[in-house]
Amino acid sequence: PRRLLSLLLLSATAACGGAANDADTAAAPDSSEASVYGATGEDLVRVQLVEVTIDGLPAGLEGAKLATIGDFQLGLWAGNEKVAARAVQLALEQQPDAVVLLGDYLAGSKDYAALGRVFGPLRGRPAFAVLGTADEVESPEAPDTVRARIVQGLTNAGVRVLRNERARLVRNGDTAWIAGVEPYLARRPEWRVAEVLSGLPSSTVLLSHMPAVAARTSGDRFPAVLAAHTFCGRVEVPGTPRLSWLNTEVF
């Protein structure tokens, strides 16, 4: 049977743009955002409802709502933490059956405590996450430190981090499985992609930071793929060379 799964997509237009420097921060501090721009960053967070039809969705999951957020980039610009916190707050206000986080939690910041401040409200609720490409940055002092501390921060906030594994979501007595893969899987050799995906049993939803992984999966085993990584319109037109001016200026 084909049944509907509702996705609540949360976005913030203010998340786009390059990394803020000290001059940018000084020129437009958080306290004057409203007076300068007419709105603060958190005012620009939006919720969009998308309904997806999934073959074989258990009856108890009909109409289930997944709040989907990605590319938080905490530390990228002044006030971004408030925007991220607002997105989490709005997600919870929709009373979703689960919240899924799609990676890129910190942007060069070492403020790991921000993970607790932003994602703490998810504690005690079904919440699942995958890592993003920005979360794979290794510290020169200690490899894997960044990745490990982000995973620990999310875990402390009650979020289940899926690293080539899956977790159970139970609703109305029926079970759906949510799987998650590492961020760079789509760029791995064919044998590695096959190895990881074959090790994951069929799941209702597959989470991946990079959307390219959808082209490497089977719709029979993973009928829905949720991904991030495309914020700010960073897309490429099929059949064209990777021309920076085309992707950044034209599109």
Side-chain angles (χ1 to χ4, degrees):
R2 297 169 62 86
R3 296 191 172 93
L4 288 177
L5 181 71
S6 298
L7 307 179
L8 301 165
L9 309 180
L10 288 96
S11 64
T13 56
C16 293
N21 56 35
D22 292 340
D24 295 330
T25 303
D30 292 348
S31 60
S32 63
E33 275 187 313
S35 61
V36 174
Y37 302 113
T40 63
E42 53 266 37
D43 292 331
L44 301 178
V45 181
R46 299 289 181 265
V47 179
Q48 181 178 357
L49 175 64
V50 176
E51 291 186 335
V52 177
T53 302
I54 296 180
D55 289 331
L57 186 69
L61 276 296
E62 169 81 28
K65 294 193 293 185
L66 299 184
T68 308
I69 325 172
D71 294 302
F72 298 89
Q73 305 287 344
L74 297 176
L76 181 63
W77 53 278
N80 202 20
E81 182 179 326
K82 293 180 180 179
V83 175
R86 176 59 175 161
V88 171
Q89 177 189 1
L90 279 178
L92 295 178
E93 287 177 3
Q94 313 309 309
Q95 298 183 325
D97 294 283
V99 177
V100 296
L101 311 176
L102 298 175
D104 278 11
Y105 303 100
L106 297 181
S109 170
K110 294 184 178 180
D111 184 9
Y112 298 102
L115 298 171
R117 295 192 296 269
V118 171
F119 302 115
L122 299 178
R123 190 175 291 107
R125 306 169 186 268
F128 310 96
V130 290
L131 296 179
T133 51
D135 308 318
E136 290 290 300
V137 177
E138 293 184 348
S139 168
E141 304 84 36
D144 293 338
T145 296
V146 173
R147 184 189 305 113
R149 294 191 68 173
I150 289 175
V151 170
Q152 189 61 56
L154 292 170
T155 302
N156 289 345
V159 179
R160 171 76 181 274
V161 181
L162 302 175
R163 307 179 68 182
N164 297 336
E165 56 188 325
R166 70 175 191 168
R168 185 194 307 265
L169 175 64
V170 178
R171 182 176 185 267
N172 296 330
D174 280 335
T175 298
W177 291 94
I178 298 179
V181 295
E182 297 284 21
Y184 283 109
L185 180 63
R187 295 183 182 176
R188 303 306 185 207
E190 288 288 346
W191 67 266
R192 177 55 179 163
V193 176
E195 180 182 55
V196 170
L197 294 180
S198 64
L200 285 173
S202 299
S203 301
T204 306
V205 176
L206 177 65
L207 309 181
S208 170
H209 178 69
M210 296 180 68
V213 79
R216 313 283 292 272
T217 61
S218 165
D220 293 333
R221 297 187 60 234
F222 304 104
V225 179
L226 299 180
H229 197 60
T230 57
F231 64 101
C232 306
R234 292 181 181 175
V235 299
E236 293 181 5
V237 179
T240 66
R242 295 190 174 194
L243 301 177
S244 60
W245 68 268
L246 182 67
N247 292 311
T248 60
E249 301 297 330
V250 179
F251 295 103

